[in-house]
């Protein structure tokens, strides 16, 4: 599985956009970029994923660079409830019979301040 | 609410004992994954089942076993418990088993071994 690099922590002001970077310079062409977050000790929460194109859903936007070596998760209007550990995961597309596990790194702690 | 349920929420037991953790996947999901989260190891993949059959194994100890039943719920059995087994145990489910198929996590079971 390709390795990802995230900052250890980041602060953001409430109401502002939070831009969370992730480097995945060894990503392969068939590997997806996934973002999850974990609030305190709750179960990891799926946010968004993408392969090549930028993606947007009700929670966030995912911007993937053209060379796919890095990506940015954007929370457009951060709230206090967005304070969490955010995980950027690169996941290989295996054929049936392989493992589709998620490999979590240490993640990045985002703190949204009032 | 992800739709994945786990019971019990908390479990306190003694060393040497055996416990069973239960997971009910989201309606329609065929694949179930188990993860362990301890303070020093982070989130680690343990084992995956797909439609009743074991599909992949991760860092699962021989003292641990799992199964997925015909109704697709899954159980993780932990035996000869040691202090180091104290951790959060999460179950996740997905519709099928591909890398573009999102895994949704349950709220977890917190196991404390005294």
């Amino acid at each position: 599985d390709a390795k990802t690099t995230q900052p250890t922590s980041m602060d953001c002001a409430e109401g502002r956009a939070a831009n969370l970077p992730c480097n995945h310079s060894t990503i392969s062409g068939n590997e997806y970029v996934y973002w999850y977050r974990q609030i305190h000790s709750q179960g990891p929460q799926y946010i968004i994923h993408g392969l090549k194109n930028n993606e947007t859903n009700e929670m966030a936007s995912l911007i993937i660079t053209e060379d796919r070596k890095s990506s940015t998760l954007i929370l457009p209007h951060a709230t206090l409830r967005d304070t969490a550990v955010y995980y950027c995961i690169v996941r290989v597309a295996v054929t049936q019979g392989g493992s589709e596990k998620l490999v979590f790194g240490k993640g990045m702690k985002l703190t949204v301040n009032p | 609410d992800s739709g994945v349920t786990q019971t019990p929420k908390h479990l306190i037991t003694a060393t040497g004992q055996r416990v069973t953790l239960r997971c009910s996947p989201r309606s329609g999901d065929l694949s179930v994954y188990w993860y362990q989260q301890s303070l020093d190891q982070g989130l680690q993949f343990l084992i995956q089942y797909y439609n009743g059959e074991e599909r992949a194994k991760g860092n699962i100890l021989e003292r641990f076993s799992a199964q997925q039943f015909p109704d697709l719920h899954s159980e993780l059995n932990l035996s000869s418990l040691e202090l180091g087994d104290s951790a959060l145990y999460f179950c996740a489910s997905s519709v099928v088993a591909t890398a573009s198929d999102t895994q949704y996590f349950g709220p977890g079971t917190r196991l404390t071994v005294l």
Side-chain angles (χ1 to χ4, degrees):
Chain A
D1 298 312
K3 188 177 170 61
T4 63
T5 305
Q6 299 177 255
T8 304
S9 64
M10 177 179 288
D11 281 12
C12 176
E14 189 178 19
R16 304 297 293 266
N19 296 300
L20 286 65
C22 180
N23 286 323
H24 30 79
S25 58
T26 60
I27 194 169
S28 299
N30 62 349
E31 291 180 324
Y32 288 80
V33 179
Y34 272 79
W35 284 84
Y36 280 80
R37 72 181 182 184
Q38 188 174 25
I39 298 171
H40 196 45
S41 296
Q42 297 176 22
Q45 180 187 23
Y46 166 76
I47 301 173
I48 200 167
H49 75 280
L51 183 62
K52 294 180 183 176
N53 301 320
N54 297 336
E55 302 288 345
T56 295
N57 63 20
E58 65 278 2
M59 286 183 69
S61 294
L62 175 61
I63 308 298
I64 303 174
T65 57
E66 197 168 336
D67 63 7
R68 303 212 322 123
K69 293 185 177 183
S70 66
S71 60
T72 301
L73 178 74
I74 301 173
L75 307 178
H77 305 286
T79 71
L80 299 180
R81 287 185 293 181
D82 292 321
T83 292
V85 176
Y86 286 76
Y87 296 96
C88 170
I89 299 165
V90 169
R91 193 171 172 210
V92 63
V94 295
T95 56
Q96 280 205 331
S99 170
E100 293 77 26
K101 68 188 181 202
L102 291 168
V103 179
F104 288 83
K106 295 187 185 302
M108 187 200 79
K109 177 67 185 291
L110 174 69
T111 302
V112 180
N113 299 304
Chain B
D1 183 2
S2 67
V4 178
T5 60
Q6 290 186 248
T7 56
K9 196 170 181 178
H10 299 280
L11 201 47
I12 301 173
T13 188
T15 54
Q17 295 298 304
R18 182 179 189 276
V19 296
T20 297
L21 313 184
R22 182 187 170 103
C23 168
S24 293
R26 296 186 318 154
S27 177
D29 284 3
L30 299 178
S31 196
V32 169
Y33 309 75
W34 286 96
Y35 293 84
Q36 178 193 54
Q37 186 174 33
S38 58
L39 279 174
D40 56 345
Q41 292 291 328
L43 268 157
Q44 301 258 321
F45 168 72
L46 293 178
I47 197 165
Q48 176 193 2
Y49 278 82
Y50 176 68
N51 205 18
E53 294 192 4
E54 182 185 301
R55 186 168 172 95
K57 267 186 174 178
N59 302 320
I60 188 166
L61 300 171
E62 284 194 15
R63 300 184 284 108
F64 295 1
S65 64
Q67 54 184 326
Q68 186 178 27
F69 294 86
D71 67 353
L72 300 176
H73 91 271
S74 178
E75 293 180 356
L76 180 67
N77 301 297
L78 315 176
S79 62
S80 303
L81 285 168
E82 302 175 359
L83 296 177
D85 298 327
S86 295
L88 281 163
Y89 291 85
F90 292 106
C91 164
S93 73
S94 63
V95 176
V96 286
T98 66
S100 62
D101 186 36
T102 300
Q103 292 181 28
Y104 293 92
F105 283 77
T109 293
R110 181 179 291 278
L111 173 66
T112 302
V113 182
L114 301 175

